[in-house]
Amino acid sequence: AKAVFNIYGDIRQRIYSDVGVDNLKSINDIGNVYTLNQNYRNTKPIVEYCNDEFGLDMIGLGLDGDPVDEFAIEELNSEERIDCVSYVIDQNRMLDDKMVIIVEDVDSYINFKEYYDGTATLSRAVDGHSTQKTNVIDVLTVAESIGMEFSSVIVFSEGMSATEKYISCTRALKKLIVI
């Protein structure tokens, strides 16, 4: 008797080198590999941004939506950075009370909270468990955000690898802001 297995997944979301595979064809006797490149989940502008940013060929079949906003803050001084991040958070919190911020890792969260303390009430969503509190913005690490979806996401991409940034950007369903 021969068993049949269907394996689904996005190998581009592999952030740990010792977990998962980087090429499905490397699995012995895998048989046929089919690429699913139709995206129903994210808005078309998010799919287009990810295609451009990460060299993908996804077909966006979802809804039309707001364009992806990008803010380059590397060249700004401390006060300008705080003003920019505060503005982005305030403007988008008015549109979606439950947006999240995704940072690289726990150290990035600590640095982010220390640097931007006072721009908003931030809470670390430990293991992806949201606080669900009004006027509190949950902050997750990339690893904690895998497999999750949020209507609005601010990606604080400083220090992220291309894979981490890809994972973070694809968590947004309707609105994506990359800082």
Side-chain angles (χ1 to χ4, degrees), residues 72-170:
I73 64 171
E74 297 82 19
E75 305 296 321
L76 302 178
N77 67 38
S78 294
E79 189 174 311
E80 291 169 331
R81 277 179 168 219
I82 292 169
D83 288 346
C84 180
V85 170
S86 183
Y87 172 80
V88 168
I89 290 171
D90 287 345
Q91 290 300 305
N92 290 284
R93 187 173 23 189
M94 287 189 297
L95 302 173
D96 185 355
D97 188 44
K98 286 312 303 170
M99 71 176 166
V100 299
I101 297 172
I102 300 177
V103 297
E104 180 186 17
D105 54 24
V106 175
D107 289 338
S108 297
Y109 167 75
I110 293 166
N111 292 337
F112 185 86
K113 184 156 175 71
E114 184 177 300
Y115 197 76
Y116 297 105
D117 191 33
T119 59
T121 303
L122 305 172
S123 176
R124 179 146 180 267
V126 179
D127 297 326
H129 291 20
S130 171
T131 60
Q132 298 295 315
K133 293 180 184 173
T134 303
N135 296 322
V136 174
I137 300 172
D138 292 323
V139 182
L140 290 92
T141 66
V142 175
E144 292 168 335
S145 73
I146 290 176
M148 301 184 78
E149 301 172 339
F150 307 96
S151 58
S152 297
V153 174
I154 297 175
V155 176
F156 196 74
S157 63
E158 188 171 55
M160 286 186 185
S161 68
T163 299
E164 291 168 328
K165 187 175 176 184
Y166 167 72
I167 292 167
S168 300
C169 290
T170 57

